[in-house]
Amino acid sequence: MSAAPLDHERAHLAASRTALRAMRADAEALDITDVTANWVNAEVLQSELDLRIKALADLADTPLFFGRLDYAKDGGPGESFYIGRRHVHDADGDPMVIDWRAPVSQAFYRASKKEPMDVVLRRRFGYDRGEITAYEDEHLTDPAEAARSSALLQREIERPRVGPMRDIVATIQPEQDVIVRAEVGGTVCVQGAPGTGKTAVGLHRVAYLLYAHRERLARTGTLVIGPNDSFLRYIEQVLPALGELEVQQATVAELVAHVAVRGVDPAPVARLKGDARMAEVLRRAVRAGVTMPAEPVVVVRGSRRWRVPAYEVEELVRELLERGIRYNSAREALPRRIAHAVLVRMERAGEAPDDRVQDAVARNPAVKAAVKAIWPAVDPVKLVLRLLSDAEFLAAHAEGILDADEQRLLLWEKPPRGVRSARWSAADAVLVDEARDLVERTPSLGHVVLDEAQDLSPMQYRAVGRRCSTGSATVLGDIAQGTTPWATESWAAALAHLGKPEAAVEELTQGFRVPREVIAYASRLLPSIAPGLAEATSIRESAGDLAIRGVPPGALDGAVAAACAEVLGGREGSVGLIAADGRVAAVGAALDAAGLPYLAPGEETTSAARLTLVPASLAKGLEYDYVVLDDPAAIVAGEPDERTGLRRLYVCLTRAVSGLTVLHAEPLPAQLAAAA
């Protein structure tokens, strides 16, 4: 490697950093005192300016660019473009670094010797703490140069993990780039095996859409939905590292937090409450209060009395019911419909009423009283409370949908006295959210990313779908990692419940994270947990470390602590100790006794604190350089059924980036025993 090109690239990096600092200084120097007409606009503009300044921060350990593209030019020198995490320009406005999301950057990810896309040379850079240490060139139009894998790319993929999840802009693969740059109007579903980067792809898709459709999505909003708070803390730095600071993050539980969740349903009850049939039960219950009028509506104006007969009011009510519009929208429309019927009579009598008269009639006490009696207000929380407490009310609206045994399963054994005393479950909160939407439409966002989607119930899919009913979604998951009793069996069914049946399903099977030996070992479970899925492959050149150790009964806790100490003493990067939820306390005590400090999931690992104790239920979506897995049989036994338990075990087995040690005192599950 020549020193001259390396010096040139280092000089360009230094100049780019200087230019970025100048861009930030220019933003900080802007005076908006006399730009806006009022203080509200000034506050909004100042907020946007503050975000701009924050986005222009120069992160010392993060390289401004990671690649370069050289294009040939007839009759003269070609053009070069540096590809990085954000756009940087010089004092004249000429680009020094091109944002990875710009159209010209696409060739960095997709160009090949078969299809060079006019690229003569693609250069990748190696970094150490933000400084260029190496470069690697591919001459895409040189037939004499053989195609080869990138050593720098491989090194970046295998770099030890310390801290939260990081971006993958330097390592995006062509099949991933296709998903990232898919059009904003379409929903994309990504079935991704462990380590294929589906979560990172989803986050980078958000960043790309915000770049390509900034104004539209700034108006309608974007949201990333994850399975739990630990997962959200783990991924929360990816988008800010790409300069995107305003994307909201939430769990499904936070989206539907209309009641205080204090109870837990048994698995059969939770499965039934999550069944899509509950939507029709709730629809019937919401409309149950609508009654047909028995008396005419008589409106007195001045010396005249205007009478709308009961049968005509009934026709108006039935028309609104048949239209299927939201309950409150119909309730608000009914007085205007009655008022219109009165105005028709006025016109027939020779009067000339205008809109003001119609508004006045709609607010007439007689009309308001009739609407209140015919179309009473509905409290969604109280409605669900009654549905789960009142056997007769439930039977009336579940007839032909739920059988008698299912109805008994839904009812609380001891009905609560009121909304506040009820021990609402997570599934109950989703039912309340459905009822709220039946009463009043849930606002829609422009784009939603739903990660670990395979674990949602049909009713949870409907809750997420409401948040993107007029927008689009990126759905990420792996059928084999479905670890709830109600986990989806197919993406077709899931997308139908989401309200996006037309979504394209893309499958990622090429792994970048899990070593070959580890993924092959875990894949022995696939025939039992997801027989239709293709086995994942790994592009990792390192086969990885895999050790399966049986220990005598009673010695497991100490053996687990010793294995962690061994890994911490001999390896770089993060270490995850994964145990069944019921084993966490005992394993934690063993670590304490061994003098090994440890973190909880979501707490950021550092060079001084590299060990995290992870309950199996929280392992999904996380990754560690080395994993010590405690007692697979206990992980399987901790779930309501064997299929769910084996799926949970599959998740836990595939969290490792470099190596995996499995320790067991109980016999391994039969599906794994042959490989032990």
Side-chain angles (χ1 to χ4, degrees):
M1 183 180 301
S2 171
L6 198 57
D7 290 341
H8 171 78
E9 303 296 10
R10 286 169 175 164
H12 187 78
L13 176 61
S16 298
R17 289 196 183 281
T18 300
L20 180 62
R21 288 194 294 271
M23 290 169 62
R24 179 165 177 154
D26 288 345
E28 291 172 332
L30 284 174
D31 184 359
I32 61 170
T33 307
D34 300 321
V35 174
T36 56
N38 55 59
W39 70 270
V40 176
N41 290 344
E43 288 287 331
V44 171
L45 185 57
Q46 186 61 55
S47 176
E48 293 179 355
L49 183 58
D50 290 343
L51 285 174
R52 169 69 174 163
I53 293 169
K54 189 174 181 180
L56 289 171
D58 184 7
L59 306 177
D61 291 337
T62 303
L64 276 184
F65 54 82
F66 44 82
R68 194 182 98 185
L69 294 175
D70 288 3
Y71 290 86
K73 193 172 184 180
D74 294 337
E79 290 184 285
S80 294
F81 297 97
Y82 289 83
I83 312 301
R85 286 168 173 77
R86 67 194 66 196
H87 174 84
V88 180
H89 60 253
D90 62 17
D92 297 323
D94 294 326
M96 300 189 70
V97 180
I98 302 293
D99 194 298
W100 68 276
R101 297 166 288 187
V104 72
S105 301
Q106 182 173 316
F108 182 78
Y109 302 109
R110 299 196 195 177
S112 65
K113 279 193 166 290
K114 288 184 178 179
E115 190 176 351
M117 302 175 68
D118 298 325
V119 176
V120 176
L121 178 142
R122 173 168 52 202
R123 175 169 289 178
R124 298 181 188 275
F125 296 104
Y127 280 87
D128 182 23
R129 291 183 288 276
E131 294 300 321
I132 298 177
T133 57
Y135 67 88
E136 183 181 74
D137 289 345
E138 295 174 83
H139 298 87
L140 299 182
T141 58
D142 183 358
E145 182 179 283
R148 65 184 188 277
S149 61
S150 167
L152 289 179
L153 179 65
Q154 191 73 30
R155 192 184 307 164
E156 174 64 20
I157 290 172
E158 297 184 2
R159 183 158 55 94
R161 269 87 171 144
V162 175
M165 183 179 182
R166 59 179 184 254
D167 67 66
I168 62 165
V169 288
T171 62
I172 292 173
Q173 299 299 293
E175 65 272 20
Q176 295 174 322
D177 192 63
V178 170
I179 297 169
V180 167
R181 296 177 193 264
E183 283 301 312
V184 66
T187 290
V188 178
C189 176
V190 182
Q191 159 61 41
T196 53
K198 55 185 177 294
T199 296
V201 166
L203 295 174
H204 287 67
R205 175 158 165 72
V206 170
Y208 170 76
L209 292 177
L210 285 169
Y211 175 88
H213 307 278
R214 175 79 57 188
E215 185 175 339
R216 172 177 172 179
L217 291 179
R219 184 175 65 253
T220 55
T222 52
L223 175 67
V224 174
I225 302 174
N228 52 58
D229 289 334
S230 296
F231 177 82
L232 292 179
R233 287 195 295 272
Y234 177 63
I235 68 170
E236 67 183 355
Q237 293 304 316
V238 174
L239 288 168
L242 299 173
E244 301 299 342
L245 306 171
E246 293 191 284
V247 178
Q248 300 299 308
Q249 296 183 346
T251 63
V252 173
E254 289 169 338
L255 293 182
V256 300
H258 311 301
V259 292
V261 173
R262 297 185 294 125
V264 178
D265 287 321
V269 177
R271 187 185 297 112
L272 180 57
K273 288 179 178 178
D275 194 302
R277 293 176 295 164
M278 291 301 299
E280 177 59 21
V281 175
L282 286 164
R283 190 190 70 84
R284 292 181 182 181
V286 165
R287 294 177 166 215
V290 178
T291 56
M292 297 305 163
E295 302 290 336
V297 177
V298 180
V299 175
V300 178
R301 284 185 61 82
S303 61
R304 301 293 298 272
R305 292 164 59 86
W306 305 99
R307 182 177 181 275
V308 183
Y311 75 85
E312 189 172 338
V313 178
E314 181 176 337
E315 289 176 358
L316 297 175
V317 173
R318 292 193 182 280
E319 180 190 354
L320 289 170
L321 287 172
E322 289 170 3
R323 288 183 59 191
I325 59 178
R326 295 302 193 278
Y327 187 89
N328 276 358
S329 297
R331 188 169 184 264
E332 292 168 3
L334 183 56
R336 296 191 63 81
R337 298 295 180 88
I338 295 173
H340 178 73
V342 171
L343 261 66
V344 169
R345 284 160 172 77
M346 290 180 174
E347 290 169 349
R348 288 173 182 168
E351 296 190 18
D354 56 18
D355 289 345
R356 289 175 298 176
V357 175
Q358 183 173 355
D359 292 341
V361 173
R363 295 194 300 270
N364 184 277
V367 174
K368 292 170 70 174
V371 170
K372 184 177 181 180
I374 297 167
W375 211 292
V378 169
D379 183 322
V381 179
K382 291 180 179 177
L383 178 89
V384 175
L385 180 72
R386 185 180 178 191
L387 203 61
L388 300 177
S389 305
D390 186 332
E392 290 186 6
F393 187 69
L394 175 61
H397 305 302
E399 183 179 359
I401 302 175
L402 305 177
D403 61 32
D405 289 339
E406 289 174 320
Q407 291 177 34
R408 281 192 292 273
L409 201 61
L410 280 180
L411 290 167
W412 279 320
E413 291 183 8
K414 184 179 180 182
R417 288 174 294 180
V419 169
R420 292 188 177 181
S421 62
R423 292 187 61 81
W424 298 101
S425 69
D428 295 334
V430 180
L431 297 180
V432 172
D433 190 71
E434 180 83 24
R436 282 172 60 94
D437 185 70
L438 288 164
V439 173
E440 193 159 348
R441 181 182 294 277
T442 304
S444 173
L445 296 162
H447 192 80
V448 167
V449 173
L450 174 61
D451 205 354
E452 302 297 348
Q454 73 281 341
D455 275 338
L456 270 59
S457 70
M459 292 298 285
Q460 287 175 315
Y461 281 120
R462 290 175 61 88
V464 174
R466 287 190 279 277
R467 271 76 185 179
C468 56
S469 58
T470 60
S472 58
T474 300
V475 181
L476 311 166
D478 180 9
I479 297 293
Q481 296 186 61
T483 51
T484 57
W486 48 86
T488 189
E489 294 292 338
S490 74
W491 289 122
L495 292 167
H497 294 309
L498 191 71
K500 308 290 184 183
E502 75 293 342
V505 179
E506 305 285 348
E507 188 168 2
L508 297 177
T509 59
Q510 189 176 60
F512 307 96
R513 173 172 55 79
V514 186
R516 288 200 306 271
E517 283 194 18
V518 174
I519 194 64
Y521 181 66
S523 293
R524 291 176 176 266
L525 299 174
L526 284 178
S528 299
I529 61 177
L533 291 185
E535 184 174 330
T537 59
S538 178
I539 69 165
R540 299 285 298 276
E541 292 184 357
S542 168
D545 294 325
L546 175 63
I548 315 297
R549 302 176 188 169
V551 299
L556 183 59
D557 294 351
V560 168
C564 291
E566 179 185 341
V567 175
L568 289 168
R571 297 185 179 275
E572 289 184 280
S574 57
V575 180
L577 168 55
I578 304 177
D581 289 32
R583 288 267 303 147
V584 167
V587 172
L591 294 178
D592 290 335
L596 295 176
Y598 57 90
L599 306 169
E603 294 182 319
E604 186 172 332
T605 56
T606 65
S607 57
R610 297 189 289 126
L611 176 62
T612 303
L613 175 55
V614 187
S617 62
L618 297 181
K620 189 171 297 180
L622 305 180
E623 60 182 34
Y624 301 93
D625 284 289
Y626 209 95
V627 168
V628 176
L629 184 66
D630 170 79
D631 204 5
I635 292 173
V636 176
E639 300 299 329
D641 56 78
E642 185 185 45
R643 189 201 70 165
T644 304
L646 290 173
R647 285 183 167 184
R648 181 76 71 189
L649 178 58
Y650 180 74
V651 170
C652 297
L653 287 168
T654 54
R655 301 303 95 199
V657 175
S658 299
L660 169 69
T661 295
V662 178
L663 295 103
H664 65 98
E666 296 296 322
L668 290 168
Q671 294 84 350
L672 291 180

